[in-house]
Amino acid sequence: MKKVNSIVIFCASSLGNSAVYEEQASYVGKVLAEYGIRLVYGGGRVGLMGAVANGALAHGGEVIGVIPDFLNSKEREHTGVTKLITVDTMHDRKRIMNDYAEGVIALPGGFGTLEELFEMITWAQLGLHKKPVGLLNINGFYNHLIQFIDHMVEEGLLKQENRAMLLVADTIEELIEKMQQYEAPLVPKWIEKDEI
């Protein structure tokens, strides 16, 4: 079992309506720094992205930001990070974030956060990577999504073994523990056991 030393965080570029989201995003950054886990994130200095980066930086953590050039005007790049990588496209952003990270966590966010999360869990399902993918359910933010994912299983459209690949926890400490214990399935989706 390989220790996870670098985690990509997907989250909102806004703060949301509850102060708990910013507080917990900052706390996530703090915990990653204290655990010696490198933070890889979207490179912005605003919203929950900025909060998680600042939380890590304030506690001596290593922070790598990856931001598309066209988003600089909207998300405003964070110039205080350890390393800032500017790319051309959203696809390049995700590819480079994936290259730098050994695990994935989604904090509260909108469409972009969900798109990033589901692409990474789909890649894992297909065996394109073996990294743990986690959902940090801050303040019950993802309760309805978790219920919907379970509904997919009930309706026979998602296998239980693939559902189990998405790690869920209410605290960052619990989620990191689950990620450190995670072992990817031996048989990716679409490969029958008798084919290997």
Side-chain angles (χ1 to χ4, degrees), residues 24-136:
Q24 285 299 303
S26 178
Y27 181 70
V28 166
K30 173 180 183 283
V31 170
L32 293 181
E34 290 176 345
Y35 283 32
I37 298 173
R38 178 176 61 191
L39 166 65
V40 182
Y41 84 115
R45 62 179 171 87
V46 297
L48 300 187
M49 284 201 297
V52 72
N54 291 335
L57 291 167
H59 293 86
E62 181 184 359
V63 179
I64 296 178
V66 185
I67 191 166
D69 187 56
F70 75 90
L71 280 182
N72 277 344
S73 61
K74 293 181 170 37
E75 295 177 357
R76 296 187 290 284
E77 68 184 28
H78 196 311
T79 56
V81 297
T82 311
K83 181 176 184 178
L84 183 66
I85 302 169
T86 303
V87 297
D88 292 329
T89 68
M90 294 294 281
H91 179 74
D92 289 339
R93 181 194 221 180
K94 286 183 290 187
R95 179 181 53 78
I96 290 172
M97 291 169 85
N98 178 57
D99 290 346
Y100 271 95
E102 298 171 354
V104 176
I105 294 176
L107 304 186
F111 284 155
T113 300
L114 292 179
E115 184 271 333
E116 292 163 332
L117 169 70
F118 281 116
E119 181 162 13
M120 291 304 294
I121 195 68
T122 300
W123 289 1
Q125 179 179 262
L126 296 172
L128 300 178
H129 71 75
K130 297 185 179 299
K131 302 171 187 181
V133 179
L135 196 59
L136 187 56

